[in-house]
Amino acid sequence: MAKHNTTEEFKAAMKSCRDIFQKKLYDYKPSWRMLRPASLTDQLFIKAKRIRTLEVTGESLVGEGILPEFMALINYGIIGLIQLEKGYADKVDISNDEAMALYDEYAGKCVDLMLKKNHDYGEAWRDMRVSSYTDLILTKLERIKEIEDKNGVTTVSEGIDSNYMDIINYSVFGVIQLSGEK
């Protein structure tokens, strides 16, 4: 059995997502700065629901598979973390370089969190089904919607940022697992 290097696999998956993010910045600039929190949550929801539909039906009419959708969840999750920090804007108010620096900051935080959790959970994610990541992501999104509906107030639960980071990490695990199937 091959020895896995989770840190390297995680960073490689994040690098692939970063490359896509950077290319889209070139095309669109950080136009996502205009997304309000609920709209961003809905965008993440759409991506996760599409993954579930593809998992259930096994059929894609637009020709894109599950892997690119997990990658999109990673990038939108990082956008979500940025938006939580900066709030939304009425126009693009940061440069591409600033957007990339923020992306790198939050990607680094996600790697750090994954390393801590992976240690405590003993790489249990490797024995999970990819479809379970999808279900857990959809659950996290329902939690985020509830927190948003309560104006961010929770009694004992983690906040929106923790849920975004979990979505990102589950999505990275999906990317790693699906990339290994090729």
Side-chain angles (χ1 to χ4, degrees), residues 12 29 32 35 42 51 63 70 87-88 91 112-113 129 133 135 140-141 143-144 151 158:
K29 300 200 182 300
W32 44 262
L35 288 171
D42 287 344
I51 292 170
F70 273 121
Y88 67 91
K91 61 182 176 144
D112 292 344
L113 176 65
R129 296 171 186 93
Y133 306 143
D135 292 349
K140 295 285 182 183
L141 287 165
R143 291 175 181 177
I144 290 169
N151 297 314
E158 296 178 319

Side-chain angles (χ1 to χ4, degrees), residues 47 50-51 54 64-74:
K47 296 294 183 184
R50 182 161 189 277
I51 292 170
L54 293 174
E64 294 178 354
I66 294 171
L67 180 62
E69 297 296 356
F70 273 121
M71 295 174 87
L73 284 169
I74 293 163

